[in-house]
Amino acid sequence: MNTQTILQAQDLDLFYGENQALKAINMEIPERRITALIGPSGCGKSTFLRTINRMNDLIPGVSVRGKMTYRGEDIYSPEIDVTWLRKKVGMVFQKANPFPMSIYDNIAYGPRIHGIRKKAELDQIVEESLRGAALWDEVKDRLKKSALGLSGGQQQRMCIARALAVQPDVLLMDESTSALDPGSTMRIEELMSQLKERYTVVIVTHNMQQAVRVSDHCAFFLLGELVEYGPTQQLFSQPKDKRTEDYITGRFG
Ligand SMILES: Nc1ncnc2c1ncn2[C@@H]1O[C@H](COP(=O)(O)OP(=O)(O)OP(=O)(O)O)[C@@H](O)[C@H]1O
Ligand SMILES: [Mg+2]
């Protein structure tokens, strides 16, 4: 790959108790590109995504072997500050999860936790983050209104703005458009393409057209294994593995 690797899995295994959900994953994720994870339900896509910001740590009984590095640092080493990691590696979920507070306070939430108090500074972060998530023009006159009053698509873009507000480096998106109508999905896809100018984006999607439309690289998972990984165009036009071919042509999953 001709760009710098930002995230690298090396022989990464993950167990939920006895059950192995990731099997010896080796994968280099390039900086400022969109990488899509595809594969049938239960194959380990969300699990893999959560290893990147150690969200799996919150699940009892999880054990990890092997390595995941972020900019060369092993994120499972004891020296890693998990709060720092999660600031660098933000996450947007399948279902928008606005906090029951104003739009402004949703966006300012993270920066406040990280110690930013000055109103002028917060105002600027809120505006920049909402602009970054292509939502500013729609909400600039109602910042003090409840975020719960936004439409589903707006709520999801607000969650993206909230993730951007702490100045992450990597953005993880787990099926972030699956609950949205086609128009909102299109807006978020356009947004992803803008975001990759500044951020590394890793998405999980069940929508193969979406993977083709937005991603630069694509990884096909099956039963906890990374079956195939490469440039998206190549993976979809000339899959190397029969299982990839069967999946993308709709023979299973
Ligand atoms: N919290 C958990 N505790 C125990 N097992 C889990 C947990 N989360 C996931 N698993 C198991 O790990 C495997 C991978 O699940 P994961 O959620 O990563 O799949 P996925 O590819 O994201 O699927 P989907 O497309 O349905 O979201 C599955 O066998 C699942 O049952
Ligand atoms: Mg999942």
Side-chain angles (χ1 to χ4, degrees):
M1 283 173 192
N2 53 8
T3 62
Q4 193 144 0
T5 295
I6 182 168
L7 295 159
Q8 183 171 15
Q10 291 167 266
D11 290 325
L12 184 75
D13 295 321
L14 183 140
F15 296 81
Y16 293 107
E18 305 273 276
N19 180 21
Q20 187 166 9
L22 295 176
K23 297 174 185 164
I25 307 296
N26 284 289
M27 185 171 168
E28 291 183 13
I29 295 178
E31 190 178 13
R32 292 180 198 209
R33 293 286 184 274
I34 301 180
T35 300
L37 314 179
I38 62 168
S41 184
C43 68
K45 304 177 298 295
S46 297
T47 300
F48 181 77
L49 202 68
R50 291 193 301 258
T51 60
I52 301 175
N53 65 351
R54 291 186 51 175
M55 287 289 276
N56 293 312
D57 289 17
L58 307 171
I59 303 169
V62 166
S63 57
V64 175
R65 279 195 320 221
K67 261 191 181 176
M68 173 66 82
T69 61
Y70 162 67
R71 297 198 178 279
E73 284 194 67
D74 181 359
I75 66 163
Y76 285 91
S77 110
E79 282 101 71
I80 289 287
D81 174 352
V82 178
T83 308
W84 168 84
L85 177 70
R86 296 207 184 118
K87 181 174 182 294
K88 290 291 181 189
V89 184
M91 193 157 193
V92 179
F93 298 90
Q94 177 168 13
K95 209 170 157 293
N97 55 344
F99 304 145
M101 52 179 81
S102 70
I103 296 167
Y104 186 100
D105 288 338
N106 263 272
I107 311 297
Y109 189 88
R112 280 178 175 139
I113 284 182
H114 291 288
I116 298 173
R117 292 275 174 270
K118 289 205 194 89
K119 185 175 177 299
E121 200 175 341
L122 287 170
D123 285 354
Q124 192 187 345
I125 292 171
V126 168
E127 177 169 347
E128 277 175 9
S129 306
L130 287 166
R131 283 190 189 282
L135 188 59
W136 174 252
D137 290 334
E138 286 162 68
V139 301
K140 60 176 192 278
D141 299 323
R142 56 193 279 202
L143 294 176
K144 298 291 175 182
K145 297 257 162 56
S146 171
L148 303 176
L150 296 170
S151 75
Q154 289 173 329
Q155 288 187 6
Q156 196 57 296
R157 278 179 283 143
M158 192 203 70
C159 292
I160 294 170
R162 196 172 60 194
L164 299 181
V166 296
Q167 297 184 308
D169 192 12
V170 178
L171 207 54
L172 311 176
M173 304 175 88
D174 195 348
E175 297 188 55
S176 299
T177 62
S178 65
L180 302 179
D181 66 83
S184 303
T185 298
M186 203 181 76
R187 300 206 59 170
I188 295 202
E189 288 182 5
E190 286 167 2
L191 175 58
M192 288 176 188
S193 300
Q194 291 163 18
L195 290 174
K196 78 173 180 184
E197 290 171 19
R198 288 178 62 187
Y199 309 95
T200 301
V201 182
V202 187
I203 66 168
V204 169
T205 181
H206 277 282
N207 179 333
M208 287 198 260
Q209 284 80 30
Q210 177 169 75
V212 171
R213 281 192 300 263
V214 306
S215 72
D216 301 290
H217 296 93
C218 188
F220 170 56
F221 283 76
L222 188 63
L223 298 169
E225 284 177 48
L226 176 58
V227 170
E228 186 162 347
Y229 176 48
T232 301
Q233 292 307 331
Q234 193 181 311
L235 188 135
F236 279 89
S237 60
Q238 297 162 300
K240 293 196 180 81
D241 194 289
K242 177 78 169 60
R243 294 167 293 176
T244 312
E245 186 180 346
D246 286 349
Y247 183 71
I248 64 176
T249 54
R251 278 189 205 113
F252 68 92

